[in-house]
Every structure is written in C-alpha cells, then in structure tokens.
Amino acid sequence: MKLNAASCTDAGKERDINEDRVWSQIFTPSEGVSRGLFIVCDGMGGHLGGECASHWAVETVKHELADLFSVRDPRATVHLSEEGLEAGRDDLRTRQTEASLFEVRLQQAVQRANQVVFTYAQNKPDKAGDAGTTITMALISDVYGIFANVGDSRTYLYREGKLRQVTRDHSLVARMLELGQISPQEVYSHPQRNVIYRSLGQKRDVQVDTFVEILQPGDWLLLCSDGLWEMVQDEAAIAEMLVSAGSPEKACAQLVEAANRAGGEDNIGVVVVQID
C-alpha cells in the first residue's frame, strides 16, 4: 500500500508555549513494503517541562525504532529466521508474526521514552518540574497498523464514511464514562476533564496500551492531541474534513483551523495519514 502523510502543530489561541510535538516518517525501499512511523506527544509540567518531555519522548521513540527504517532489509531486525523468510515472505502467518514483534518493539520504545523523560525530570527539577507527556503513535508495515498510546492523545481510523477511535484515553473522565457515571457529552465539560492517570515521565515504569489493525486502501488515520478533539467534538465533522481536503496537508490545516475557530484553548498536534 502507498502511504502519504502530513503533520503540524499550533500553539492555539490561549497558550504562549507550544508543548505538542509531532513526527511523520515514511520509508519506501526499492524492494519490500513501505513503512511509516507517526507520533503525537502532548507535553505537560513546569517551566519548559512539557516542551522537553514531549521533545525527548519523540526523539527517543525515533531512535529506538530507527533500524526499521534503514536501507538494509528491515525484516532481519525482528529476528525472523531465514527459513521463514524464504518459505513465507508473503505468508499470512509470517506477516502476523512480524506484526506481533513490532507490537513488542513499540512497547519497548515507549517504555524507553518514559525512562528518558523520568530521568530528565529527576535530574533537572529546576527546569523540568513535574514534566510528563502523553503519546499516541502508529507504525504501519505492509497491511498492518500497530498503535500504542499513553494518556489522552488519540488515534482515529476513518474507513468507509465512519471515524472510529482506535486508542483508549487514560483519563478520569474516560474511566467515568466507561462506568456509566457521566454522559459522553460531559467528557468535554466535566471540571476534572484534564486529569489523566497515565503519562510518560511520572513513574519509572508505565503501562503501554497497544492495538493492531489490518489496514486497507482508502483508510485514513488521524493522530491528535486533546487540543483538537476537545475543541472539535463532532466526529462527523472531523471525518468530513479528512476526506474533503483531498490531501493530508490540507486536512491538517483544516483541522487546526477548526480547533482554533472553536476556541483554540490548548496546543494542537495533528498527524494525518492517507492509505492508498
């Protein structure tokens, strides 16, 4: 499948500092399948804490997964046997095994990012304060999308007219919604809507949620911070902007504009991926 992507961030209308960081990378070797790595981090903390936390989280994940985007055959990096590659390069079982191994790699990369942010906060309390960051990310390889998240930044999948949230928010209001204690609309107005119970940098170890989806031509992915989804609450409107834009670049611009038009109360981080 062919991948096309774009990313952007905006400080919004009420913040002087932009603590969101994004990353978009596509690798298309002369032989083999295309790969893509996409990340959105929403930093938080004391003076410069959020900026540093989100920056180091993105940079660490990129470093940890860099071998998957090298010129040499990246399948070797997941330790598949030569016999397996020769006998089943296109075999479904081999591809599923590869996706499972990539899922582990994402978990390890996010754990490493957590350790880097945690260590930074411990060693530089004057600068970092209580630095932390959310992360939502996607690794696309062949037909598989492997996703990981910590916090309340989200990844959505758009397919055949419907937008679906792939990741799960680690927030107080999300938990209350699951328990039936609040309505879906109250997620956006509850006084504790900004309280998250899981983020990078707060503890030495963090639980990382991962998800695997089989992708198909015509799909779109949207990765974003809460600066987008809290402002643009109508998922049908988000879906319309994705497909009507015609390109990931235009979709990113329209989504950021819509978030600012709705108030722009927070930083906005967006990555849009088109799959053909």
Side-chain angles (χ1 to χ4, degrees), residues 25 30 37 41 71-72 90 99 104 116 157 159 161 169 171-172 180 202 214 228-229 250 265 267 276:
Q25 175 182 5
S30 56
L37 178 63
C41 287
V71 176
R72 58 181 178 167
D90 294 319
V104 173
V116 169
L157 170 64
R159 175 179 294 166
D169 297 347
S171 64
L172 178 60
Q202 302 302 296
I214 297 178
L228 175 65
W229 65 260
K250 290 181 179 179
E265 296 176 3
N267 303 152
D276 290 324

Side-chain angles (χ1 to χ4, degrees), residues 69-82:
F69 297 86
S70 61
V71 176
R72 58 181 178 167
D73 184 359
R75 288 177 182 260
T77 65
V78 293
H79 310 297
L80 294 176
S81 68
E82 292 184 6

Side-chain angles (χ1 to χ4, degrees), residues 46-66:
H47 180 59
L48 296 181
E51 283 185 288
C52 292
S54 57
H55 169 78
W56 285 116
V58 170
E59 292 303 309
T60 302
V61 170
K62 286 165 51 180
H63 175 77
E64 292 296 307
L65 300 177

Side-chain angles (χ1 to χ4, degrees), residues 71-102:
V71 176
R72 58 181 178 167
D73 184 359
R75 288 177 182 260
T77 65
V78 293
H79 310 297
L80 294 176
S81 68
E82 292 184 6
E83 293 82 1
L85 288 173
E86 291 298 325
R89 184 174 296 272
D90 294 319
D91 180 77
L92 178 60
R93 183 177 301 176
T94 300
R95 293 153 77 187
Q96 289 174 335
T97 300
E98 185 179 67
S100 297
L101 291 168
F102 286 155

Side-chain angles (χ1 to χ4, degrees), residues 2-276:
K2 181 181 177 181
L3 303 177
N4 187 19
S7 60
C8 61
T9 62
D10 190 88
K13 289 189 171 183
E14 297 189 6
R15 303 290 179 92
D16 294 326
I17 298 175
N18 189 354
E19 297 177 316
D20 283 8
R21 293 293 181 272
V22 298
W23 177 253
S24 175
Q25 175 182 5
I26 296 173
F27 174 71
T28 306
S30 56
E31 295 183 4
V33 299
S34 295
R35 286 219 170 100
L37 178 63
F38 313 100
I39 310 170
V40 170
C41 287
D42 180 0
M44 53 198 160
H47 180 59
L48 296 181
E51 283 185 288
C52 292
S54 57
H55 169 78
W56 285 116
V58 170
E59 292 303 309
T60 302
V61 170
K62 286 165 51 180
H63 175 77
E64 292 296 307
L65 300 177
D67 60 304
L68 300 180
F69 297 86
S70 61
V71 176
R72 58 181 178 167
D73 184 359
R75 288 177 182 260
T77 65
V78 293
H79 310 297
L80 294 176
S81 68
E82 292 184 6
E83 293 82 1
L85 288 173
E86 291 298 325
R89 184 174 296 272
D90 294 319
D91 180 77
L92 178 60
R93 183 177 301 176
T94 300
R95 293 153 77 187
Q96 289 174 335
T97 300
E98 185 179 67
S100 297
L101 291 168
F102 286 155
E103 191 174 5
V104 173
R105 289 291 304 272
L106 260 65
Q107 291 174 337
Q108 293 172 339
V110 176
Q111 284 287 359
R112 178 57 183 156
N114 176 69
Q115 293 168 3
V116 169
V117 175
F118 178 81
T119 300
Y120 173 81
Q122 294 295 306
N123 293 340
K124 297 183 180 292
D126 56 326
K127 293 183 179 180
D130 55 348
T133 184
T134 68
I135 186 169
T136 190
M137 62 176 296
L139 172 65
I140 298 177
S141 182
D142 200 2
V143 298
Y144 286 98
I146 304 97
F147 307 92
N149 85 293
V150 177
D152 63 352
S153 292
R154 296 178 174 180
T155 295
Y156 293 91
L157 170 64
Y158 172 86
R159 175 179 294 166
E160 297 177 348
K162 295 182 180 180
L163 188 72
R164 173 170 60 88
Q165 184 178 339
V166 176
T167 55
R168 296 174 58 189
D169 297 347
H170 305 131
S171 64
L172 178 60
V173 291
R175 182 59 177 155
M176 294 173 69
L177 181 62
E178 289 177 1
L179 296 173
Q181 296 175 350
I182 62 173
S183 68
Q185 194 56 37
E186 287 179 290
V187 168
Y188 303 101
S189 59
H190 194 279
Q192 293 179 295
R193 64 186 180 277
N194 293 322
V195 177
I196 61 175
Y197 58 81
R198 199 186 301 176
S199 62
L200 302 187
Q202 302 302 296
K203 299 179 181 179
R204 291 186 181 275
D205 297 295
V206 67
Q207 183 179 347
V208 182
D209 286 355
T210 55
F211 311 85
V212 178
E213 297 274 349
I214 297 178
L215 304 175
Q216 60 189 41
D219 287 350
W220 292 71
L221 294 177
L222 167 63
L223 292 76
C224 63
S225 62
D226 62 347
L228 175 65
W229 65 260
E230 281 197 348
M231 292 291 97
V232 187
Q233 300 170 13
D234 185 352
E235 293 188 355
I238 293 176
E240 176 63 23
M241 280 184 273
L242 283 176
V243 296
S244 65
S247 71
E249 291 82 4
K250 290 181 179 179
C252 280
Q254 289 186 13
L255 289 164
V256 169
E257 181 183 357
N260 279 324
R261 192 166 56 245
E265 296 176 3
D266 200 352
N267 303 152
I268 308 155
V270 178
V271 176
V272 174
V273 186
Q274 182 181 21
I275 301 165
D276 290 324

